[in-house]
Amino acid sequence: MFSEFKQKIVKDYTRLTGILLLSVSLVIYIAGSYMSYKEQMQQIQMLAVEESEELYYKLVDTDISDVSIDENFTDMAPDYFSRIFIYGYDINHTPFLQHNNLSWSQPYIDDIISSGKMNYHQVYFHFKLVDNRHPKAFITMRYPLFKGAQSVGEVYVGMEVTHWLREQVRILFALLFTVLFSMIFVYFIAHKMAEKAMVPVVKSFEQQKQFIANASHELRTPLSIIMSGMTVLKSYDDNKLSNFSQDIVNDISDESVKMKKLIDNLLLSTRSDNNTLKVNPVKFALKDIIIKSYNKFTLLAAEKNISISLQNLPEISQLTLFADVNQIEQILAILIDNAIKYTDENGSITISVETVHRRIFISVTDTGKGISAEDLPHIFERFYRAEKSRTHYGNGLGLSIAKMLAQKNHGDITVVSQENKGSCFSLVLNR
Ligand code: ADP
């Protein structure tokens, strides 16, 4: 029970820390990438400004067809020089200038230029898969050329940034790997912390459990004495007790039975928690146990005028099970008792058996008050009572015990219920 809770704390803490780490890392990454992209943009803008200024002065006394920019590249770093391209066109779109060391880029640049989608003075980012295999990235800029005040052509400058993009992807993967690695680290730290934090809780829970076990045990003897005293008093010559005294004896007797049931259930729960509950599987005929359980409750059902019936019994006449017969009986008793308790007068209850492959479904279906969707996920929790009005006697232990016993016998209990329509509880066992 606590290990599940601890696991949940550890998972939640790790998830939360992971989300936080990832968000912070991504924000820093995006900011860093954006800044370095801006640097790339500034580089190309500077190149464009330098080129346009140089060409502007050249065009003062030279014709556009004689313009060259060779001398401009001599002072550039070779690495930078090999990554840039410059294309010049006159007003008739005739090329007068072409510098391009990037052999792969020609068709893409032609495409971009002929599409006419680039505005002047804006930087554009392009990503292409060359030969469907090699990712290439480059940024471009377009600017107009003037001779004096007259427009005489335009120039496209571009720069390959594949290397920069690769670097960004590498950083991103390194970041994700670091976050993942940190999460593994955080998981172990959270595990240790949760373990430490749980120590006082587990200790106090153990003390409570011990107290319940001791108290239930100690209450058994006085209760047995009260119950046997009541049995003696009831069998006492009726004439010697006034009607009032008889009523009191009957009340005490009824309440003692309820108290015994509660104490037995508490002891059973603590035994299950301490793993001291024994399961003694034997081979038995399922039909006999179902009839026995049915017979036990016919009187109780009749008191509320509830019809109780058995279904499909002939089909299972040969069916035998290997399980703890007393515990299976106890589960059926809890389910049938609940069905009677939570069904109004004149309702009906059906006990049916169905086999699907190697599984057996023993179902108790009632036409009672049903369970709301809100309560349904909790009804198997210890001490949980969907019925807050407390019109029916109960302590919220029955279903948790039934489920625990079913699981001890390698089975389970499932439920389908609709408010104000009824419920169907099935004990599922393996053949
Ligand atoms: P108890 O009956 O003592 O309250 P249980 O553990 O047996 O405790 O049941 C838990 C809750 O589930 C009950 O309080 C009741 O609200 C709901 N419940 C159980 N069986 C039925 C049923 N057949 N029909 C409607 N509600 C049910």
Side-chain angles (χ1 to χ4, degrees):
M1 178 176 141
F2 280 111
S3 70
E4 245 174 60
F5 184 57
K6 192 173 81 187
Q7 213 56 30
K8 193 178 163 342
I9 296 179
V10 172
K11 268 192 204 153
D12 285 355
Y13 182 76
T14 313
R15 202 175 298 141
L16 199 77
T17 320
I19 292 171
L20 241 138
L21 262 173
L22 196 69
S23 318
V24 172
S25 313
L26 281 180
V27 167
I28 294 174
Y29 170 76
I30 290 168
S33 286
Y34 181 69
M35 269 153 68
S36 80
Y37 179 62
K38 274 204 124 177
E39 247 174 58
Q40 309 293 318
M41 277 167 66
Q42 273 165 3
Q43 272 190 30
I44 196 130
Q45 275 164 341
M46 261 162 59
L47 180 72
V49 169
E50 275 171 22
E51 289 316 316
S52 63
E53 273 179 6
E54 173 148 353
L55 287 169
Y56 180 81
Y57 289 119
K58 276 187 178 178
L59 283 170
V60 172
D61 48 10
T62 323
D63 197 51
I64 192 157
S65 51
D66 299 327
V67 164
S68 83
I69 49 163
D70 282 354
E71 70 272 23
N72 201 38
F73 290 140
T74 49
D75 53 349
M76 281 185 188
D79 167 55
Y80 178 54
F81 174 57
S82 63
R83 283 191 293 129
I84 60 166
F85 52 84
I86 301 176
Y87 285 63
Y89 295 88
D90 67 11
I91 199 90
N92 303 317
H93 217 73
T94 313
F96 69 90
L97 188 77
Q98 250 193 15
H99 159 78
N100 186 359
N101 284 337
L102 306 163
S103 55
W104 57 266
S105 65
Q106 186 72 45
Y108 302 105
I109 295 163
D110 287 348
D111 257 12
I112 292 166
I113 292 171
S114 59
S115 73
K117 282 187 184 152
M118 280 175 64
N119 291 331
Y120 287 127
H121 306 298
Q122 270 185 32
V123 179
Y124 290 85
F125 179 86
H126 311 270
F127 181 80
K128 302 279 173 199
L129 264 185
V130 174
D131 298 335
N132 283 332
R133 263 191 310 146
H134 309 291
K136 299 279 182 196
F138 54 100
I139 47 181
T140 53
M141 211 179 151
R142 177 190 181 200
Y143 63 90
L145 271 184
F146 291 99
K147 191 178 173 80
Q150 188 195 353
S151 166
V152 288
E154 57 187 10
V155 171
Y156 290 84
V157 293
M159 182 170 73
E160 187 188 359
V161 289
T162 312
H163 184 72
W164 168 83
L165 192 68
R166 274 210 192 106
E167 194 78 345
Q168 298 308 306
V169 174
R170 235 176 270 145
I171 294 172
L172 183 65
F173 275 106
L175 213 73
L176 292 179
F177 180 77
T178 314
V179 169
L180 196 80
F181 187 78
S182 315
M183 275 177 73
I184 297 171
F185 186 66
V186 167
Y187 179 83
F188 283 108
I189 298 274
H191 202 78
K192 285 270 162 242
M193 272 165 52
E195 221 164 49
K196 264 195 170 176
M198 297 288 283
V199 169
V201 183
V202 174
K203 198 174 163 198
S204 111
F205 180 71
E206 289 301 327
Q207 281 170 344
Q208 264 187 41
K209 246 173 35 183
Q210 196 54 47
F211 170 75
I212 293 174
N214 292 347
S216 322
H217 201 75
E218 292 305 316
L219 280 170
R220 273 178 127 188
T221 319
L223 191 64
S224 304
I225 295 169
I226 293 171
M227 286 178 87
S228 42
M230 286 302 122
T231 317
V232 174
L233 265 181
K234 270 176 155 181
S235 59
Y236 199 56
D237 188 350
D238 282 351
N239 295 332
K240 299 205 172 130
L241 285 177
S242 67
N243 283 346
F244 181 65
S245 306
Q246 272 178 35
D247 284 348
I248 291 176
V249 168
N250 284 337
D251 282 351
I252 296 174
S253 184
D254 286 350
E255 293 307 313
S256 310
V257 171
K258 286 180 190 167
M259 214 164 141
K260 184 175 181 313
K261 205 167 147 191
L262 171 64
I263 288 170
D264 285 349
N265 281 344
L266 281 173
L267 273 174
L268 201 65
S269 300
T270 41
R271 251 183 244 148
S272 149
D273 289 344
N274 299 337
N275 284 328
T276 51
L277 184 72
K278 295 232 164 27
V279 180
N280 298 314
V282 288
K283 200 172 169 189
F284 64 92
L286 179 62
K287 189 179 167 194
D288 295 348
I289 293 306
I290 290 181
I291 292 176
K292 197 173 160 192
S293 307
Y294 164 82
N295 287 338
K296 245 198 274 180
F297 285 95
T298 42
L299 261 180
L300 194 64
E303 278 175 23
K304 285 175 84 177
N305 201 24
I306 291 172
S307 75
I308 177 162
S309 61
L310 292 170
Q311 250 180 25
N312 317 9
L313 269 205
E315 290 166 31
I316 59 148
S317 52
Q318 302 301 320
L319 203 70
T320 54
L321 278 184
F322 186 71
D324 189 312
V325 67
N326 291 326
Q327 292 177 353
I328 301 299
E329 258 185 71
Q330 205 171 344
I331 298 169
L332 291 178
I334 291 170
L335 299 185
I336 303 171
D337 189 39
N338 273 352
I340 297 174
K341 196 157 65 169
Y342 297 110
T343 299
D344 286 339
E345 286 189 3
N346 307 319
S348 66
I349 294 169
T350 313
I351 304 168
S352 59
V353 185
E354 211 185 331
T355 54
V356 180
H357 303 300
R358 294 208 55 78
R359 310 196 108 195
I360 299 167
F361 294 78
I362 308 162
S363 305
V364 179
T365 312
D366 62 54
T367 56
K369 65 197 216 51
I371 303 160
S372 69
E374 196 185 298
D375 287 319
L376 208 55
H378 305 287
I379 55 167
F380 292 103
E381 287 168 15
R382 205 176 279 182
F383 301 116
Y384 188 87
R385 301 207 66 207
E387 205 198 55
K388 308 288 184 291
S389 59
R390 298 197 169 263
T391 5
H392 302 95
Y393 169 78
N395 44 52
L397 274 174
L399 286 180
S400 72
I401 286 175
K403 195 163 185 96
M404 178 270 290
L405 291 178
Q407 286 169 346
K408 290 260 178 212
N409 285 275
H410 308 292
D412 204 357
I413 295 188
T414 60
V415 57
V416 182
S417 185
Q418 230 184 324
E419 216 170 356
N420 302 321
K421 289 247 166 80
S423 312
C424 173
F425 283 87
S426 300
L427 165 61
V428 190
L429 292 168
N430 296 317
R431 282 169 87 171

